[in-house]
Amino acid sequence: MEAIEELKPERAEPLASGLAVAQGVFYVGTGVWPIVHLRSFEAVTGPKLEGWLVKTVGAIIAVIGGTLLTAGLRRRTSPEVMLLAAGSAASLAAVDVIYSPQRISPVYLLDAVAEGVLITGWCLAAARAWKRRGPQPPPPRYTSPEDAAGFPT
């Protein structure tokens, strides 16, 4: 029986871990805020028609933040965590920029700036990780039992 190599997560560099912690704290705080006190959240961001929807989005943002915070504190910012972080920031920034002039409070443009800083940081962290990784050898070619026995395919 063939042994399978166990994949171990790489230790994150300080930039990625720090970004994950900072974004995690930011997202947990802003995500939990409308759940805990919707009235003060609306005082800053403007009135909302659907309180349940604001709380639902807040819960999702808080879960993303908790995931990023945990990954950052454990120094385990895998490519998947980096994609979650940058993708979440880009999605929220897009909503802020597209809807702020028309439908939502201009205060969301401040959030777009913060998201832009996070996106820039994640791009830099990804570039550093890519550079540190260096060139990778091609994956081993799989040989089926039929190929090994010389059967035509």
Side-chain angles (χ1 to χ4, degrees), residues 65-88:
T67 302
L68 297 177
L69 183 57
T70 302
L73 290 173
R74 295 181 71 204
R75 299 183 53 81
R76 302 280 188 204
T77 51
S78 66
E80 296 84 1
V81 168
M82 294 172 78
L83 179 61
L84 175 67
S88 299

Side-chain angles (χ1 to χ4, degrees), residues 143-152:
T143 303
S144 70
E146 292 83 10
D147 288 342
F151 294 123

Side-chain angles (χ1 to χ4, degrees), residues 51-122:
W52 68 270
L53 184 57
V54 174
K55 292 178 180 184
T56 300
V57 172
I60 293 168
I61 291 171
V63 168
I64 293 169
T67 302
L68 297 177
L69 183 57
T70 302
L73 290 173
R74 295 181 71 204
R75 299 183 53 81
R76 302 280 188 204
T77 51
S78 66
E80 296 84 1
V81 168
M82 294 172 78
L83 179 61
L84 175 67
S88 299
S91 298
L92 292 171
V95 169
D96 292 340
V97 170
I98 291 168
Y99 293 106
S100 189
Q102 309 154 5
R103 306 185 77 182
I104 60 177
S105 170
V107 75
Y108 283 96
L109 291 176
L110 294 174
D111 182 64
V113 171
E115 303 295 350
V117 169
L118 290 168
I119 294 164
T120 302
W122 284 114

Side-chain angles (χ1 to χ4, degrees), residues 15-56:
L15 174 61
S17 294
L19 275 169
V21 169
Q23 187 171 353
V25 168
F26 179 52
Y27 278 20
V28 168
T30 57
V32 170
W33 182 14
I35 297 168
V36 172
H37 202 269
L38 183 59
R39 190 174 295 166
S40 67
F41 182 80
E42 289 180 320
V44 173
T45 64
K48 307 292 185 266
L49 296 175
E50 303 284 351
W52 68 270
L53 184 57
V54 174
K55 292 178 180 184
T56 300

